[in-house]
Amino acid sequence: MSSNKKYWKSVEELNENSSIVETLRHNEFVEEIPTTDFLSDKESLSSSSTTRRDFLKYVGFSTAAATLAACEGPVHKSIPYVLQPEQVIPGVADYYATSMFDGFDFANLLVKTREGRPIKIENNTIAGAKFAANARVHASVLSLYDSTRLKITKVAQKDASWQEADLKIKASLADAKAKGGQVVLLTNTLASPSTEKLIAEFIAKNPTAKHVIYDAVSESAALDAFEAAYGERALVDYDFSKANVIVSVGADFLGDWQGGGFDAGYAKGRVPQAGKMSKHFQFEANMTLAGAAADKRVPMTVAAQKQALVKIYNVVVGGAAAGTDEVGKAAQQLSQAGSKGVLVSGIQDKNAQLLVLAINQKLNSEAFSTSGTRQIRKGSNEKVAQLIADMNAGSVHTLIMSGVNPVYTLADSKAFVSGLKKVKLSASFSMREDETASITNIAIPAPHYLESWGDLMLTKGTYSLTQPTIRPLFSSKQFQEGLLSWNGNSAAYYDYLKANAGAYLNGASWNQAVHDGVVAGAPAASSAGSVNAAAAAAALAASAPAKGFELILYTKTGLGDGQQANNPWLQEFPDPITRVSWDNYVTISKADADSKELGLENRIVANGGLNGSYATLTVNGIKLENVPVIVQPGQAKGTLGMALGYGKKAGLKEEMQVGLNAYAFYKGFDNVQSADIAKGSGEHEFACVQGQKTLMGRGDIIKETTLEIFNTKDAEEWNSIPMVSLDHKEVEATKVDLWESFDRSVGHHFNLSIDLNACTGCGACVIACHAENNVPVVGKSEVRRSRDMHWLRIDRYYSSEETFAEDNEKREGFEGLFGKKGSLGGFGEMEHPADNPQVAFQPVMCQHCNHAPCETVCPVAATSHGRQGQNMMAYNRCVGTRYCANNCPYKVRRFNWFLYNNNDEFDFHMNNDLGRMVLNPDVNVRSRGVMEKCSMCIQKTQLTILTAKRDGREVEVDEFQTACSAACSSGAMVFGDVNNKADKVSKLAEDKRMYHLLESVGTRPNVFYHVKVRNT
């Protein structure tokens, strides 16, 4: 059976005596419905003879109009074009191919524009466009309309013109050249052939100049190892679809490890095909997305990971005996897999990365290829450290920065600030007046990538172009324009770019390259040099463990390195693992948290919010107080985790100044530090959604099985259909109906398939849904009150490896206190499920039930069913009774407690004219007092139908898309017309792994899921 596992969302739920958890399971709403605010005259109501339905109908269309004036939607007058631009057709979207790279995130994109406004990021699916948008890239369109952006050039913190700043920089460069002073260009990784050529020309013109590349989150260890082995400073672009056995030692390759973007290839091997799927071993300290997806996850300290990597090297390369522990089993299976195996590691140690190269070379791994290497990380820790030393020595005359914020991201930023004061002229190209730009002599507003021309070589041999989709909103200047000016080149950067692109177009025309966005080539593989891997193994084996706790610094799925900290979509995005938004925190294992020395705890309070202890962290003599604590299931004992990217202050709205700056602990660019932790005073209030809208205890929510059972047993055993009683006989629930059904075989009928094996919990779909459907941001306080407005959520479930039946059998068999059958001894034998749980992700949105319980209880018929399968909302009819939410078994409806648009109480993007430019005009902005939820992107499905009608053709196979399905790079979400038997979704609906949520309820959803199969 697939439904006999015990699932839980938080550590609190493991406490059987918790009254809070029990209350939350049974309460539909964490707060009472404020009926007295609407219907306060009880005497009048009691004497009324009007029926409930008619009464509410009258209230909805008469009384409510007067008493609920605050719920009234705003009226805006529009002004038509006097002269309409040729390229703009009102009401029709244009799409532009482009590529983005901000030094951390990168993707090949299509940008949707309406009336000249970029409003949505889509994935470019043309051949050669291999990098899809993650959650941060999808949210980057909102960062374009950030009202806190630096709008004008500043010289000595005063407004100035670009020309004035340009003259000062030229004068400083001339002075440096005359005096032999050092000129430094400090940038993030550029991955731009044209920019690198401009920098080479700049250095040729200024002999004392040099270029230093600085990545805020360093991959220098892997770069150093690859450079030593192959003579090129680059990263391997792994293809996990070619691996049958995957072993990861501390590498969250489904997160941000080495840039991320590996989920599509990984998911291909994780969906059972012909009875086979890849096997994934994960050895890690923090619970990560990769660890959550693994078949076998082993929590261990980084010190233990280093020893594990040495053991795997000795087995695979040295032929040593594997042993029977989990590391030995992984090494043995990896060795047996040969070219179908691959090993990756996130250990920031050159010796560890050399072993990774040696192991994959020995395996002759197909997933490991030295052609088409990644060019997205080029930073050097040594050169950055040398620059700071040179600055403090007074030997740097002119410092020009672009795409970096070292005052915020450097661990020893004080040394940088003191050195900056000794530089004669400092200039920074920055999108906002951040910590660095605010103290430089010159701050120049940099354009957003959607306002810029550029080129990229994200992987060797693949050339991408960046094109502007809107004219610059402010008086910004590209770094490349500055280089052209300082080089004495009067050409526009567009002309320079176009002339330089010829060497990379691979026979394509310039116009074709701009149209497609990507030109793919066939790069030659790098030739391997000689590396003493045995010496690296010996050095790694002798490395000393950390003293005290190991603190592992990482980047969260939401904020990454912190560049988009002022983006409210990302701040409100719940972390896939902890389900916490608007915060960073320190994670700790339950065993460590429960120790007498610490006594740290999390608890769910009466309103469903999560509270946690405060702690004081001390790392390398630096003390950080009032750090919130999350007790994280699966965290390795003796380790702590903390996310980078938070704690920014400069250039941010007050609401976005959240969290603590963990870069202060990032000494030597090492993400593992020795730390001491002590309990602080007080209690932190988290905006955590893990205890909200839960489907716990509601039947078969997650169905899963093992690959062995999947291959050897009938589907009825691992994907059982619930039975109900009909005429005193048990029959399948799916064959019983309370309503008569109409013929749904005519016309389009939309279904959405979600494969739990392919879903990695990345959250790209959540942000894409925000952008497409104008979902409001409500802020930390409202999220804590269970009022988040996400139309799509990704539930994260933990499970112990024991089943309900096994738990009950053991518990009932206890006799006395001691001995093998004693309760004390018996419970002692049972591993606490919080130590290392299995994890499952499940995207949940409106299920668009064909027999929707919400529709039958709406007193004003605001929600109804369409012939194409969508459950629709007429917002103008809704009076906010919330009966529909009460009657929804899936908890997917959202109530607008406030008017979030143009409201000073919610000072996010909808509260200013610039931020509202991102709104999709095809979807209305909902007002206070109405229910809203997923519409299955009805505006997109209808546009597809109308486009085909206009073109005089049928809708093409798999042409229908929703925002979430289009954003899903792993292929977990597939949308389409189930009546078109050629559509992929139609075939998936017949798959033996298919099931619906809560089938016993009889709602007949149009969203279906696929049973999760684990290769254990």
Side-chain angles (χ1 to χ4, degrees), residues 318-331:
T324 58
D325 63 347
E326 295 299 337
V327 176
K329 291 176 183 177

Side-chain angles (χ1 to χ4, degrees), residues 473-491:
L473 298 175
F474 308 114
S475 300
S476 55
K477 281 289 178 182
Q478 284 188 245
F479 176 55
Q480 293 85 350
E481 293 178 280
L483 288 170
L484 282 167
S485 176
W486 308 325
N487 290 348
N489 191 333
S490 60

Side-chain angles (χ1 to χ4, degrees), residues 268-277 707 710-711 755 991 993:
K268 289 179 182 178
R270 298 297 291 169
V271 177
Q273 300 288 346
K276 296 181 179 180
M277 62 181 287
L707 184 61
F710 175 76
N711 288 332
D755 196 325
D991 192 277
R993 288 199 295 131

Side-chain angles (χ1 to χ4, degrees), residues 35 38-39 45 50-64 857-860 877-883:
T35 52
F38 293 81
L39 310 171
L45 288 177
T50 308
T51 65
R52 179 178 65 105
R53 180 180 289 271
D54 286 342
F55 174 75
L56 287 172
K57 180 174 68 176
Y58 297 141
V59 170
F61 297 113
S62 58
T63 312
V857 296
C858 182
V860 291
R877 295 179 66 90
C878 180
V879 296
T881 64
R882 302 203 296 175
Y883 292 164

